[in-house]
Amino acid sequence: AAAPLAHASAKNIVDVWKSPSCGCCGDWMKLMEAAGFRMRVHDTGNVAIRKGLSLADKFASCHTAMVEGYALEGHVPVREVKRLLRERPKAVGLAVPGMKIGSAGMDGPAYGGRRDPYDVLLVRADGSTSVFSSYR
């Protein structure tokens, strides 16, 4: 069998690891699909893949994705994914720790327009971070 990430770097293909029962993950995937990404879903949870990518638990959210060699942890906005792929910084990827109300996929009618401030973090191989963008 091929390694699970063997084709994860193909252009516009996003591998997503999530719980089969998580609805907000599905909402995030719909936003990504609307932006032209093709999703491959792995309903196995995301703890093992997150650990395999050396993403510390402090970055944890409900899903982990891979796109063109970069990790996406949590509800990273499409705009930031596109910027990441355009700029190609030396990094593990982007993370929106937790499940921030108002973030991509956590912004449906059920949240009544509420928007909590959050940062999208650029995570480097050594575990250090910088703010890639802020949503206020």
Side-chain angles (χ1 to χ4, degrees):
L5 297 179
H7 301 290
S9 64
K11 197 154 179 58
N12 285 341
I13 294 177
V14 181
D15 280 283
V16 182
W17 288 266
K18 67 176 201 61
S19 161
S21 60
C22 188
C24 62
C25 300
D27 291 344
W28 178 78
M29 290 188 301
K30 285 178 193 156
L31 294 171
M32 292 289 287
E33 287 172 332
F37 292 96
R38 291 191 335 224
M39 311 309 282
R40 284 196 304 217
V41 179
H42 309 276
D43 279 329
T44 57
N46 66 333
V47 174
I49 189 71
R50 189 171 55 243
K51 288 192 183 316
L53 295 169
S54 299
L55 282 170
D57 287 344
K58 67 182 177 182
F59 302 121
S61 186
C62 55
H63 61 269
T64 304
M66 286 293 295
V67 60
E68 297 185 33
Y70 286 105
L72 303 172
E73 180 67 26
H75 293 269
V76 177
V78 171
R79 180 173 83 184
E80 308 313 332
V81 175
K82 288 184 171 185
R83 179 180 158 208
L84 175 76
L85 297 177
R86 199 171 52 246
E87 295 179 5
R88 299 218 173 260
K90 189 171 183 172
V92 172
L94 299 176
V96 175
M99 296 171 68
K100 306 294 188 217
I101 305 296
S103 62
M106 295 284 295
D107 54 357
Y111 303 102
R114 186 174 139 206
R115 298 209 173 273
D116 293 344
Y118 68 94
D119 292 328
V120 177
L121 302 176
L122 181 71
V123 182
R124 294 180 195 83
D126 66 1
S128 67
T129 63
S130 59
V131 175
F132 196 70
S133 60
S134 287
Y135 288 76
R136 300 284 180 257

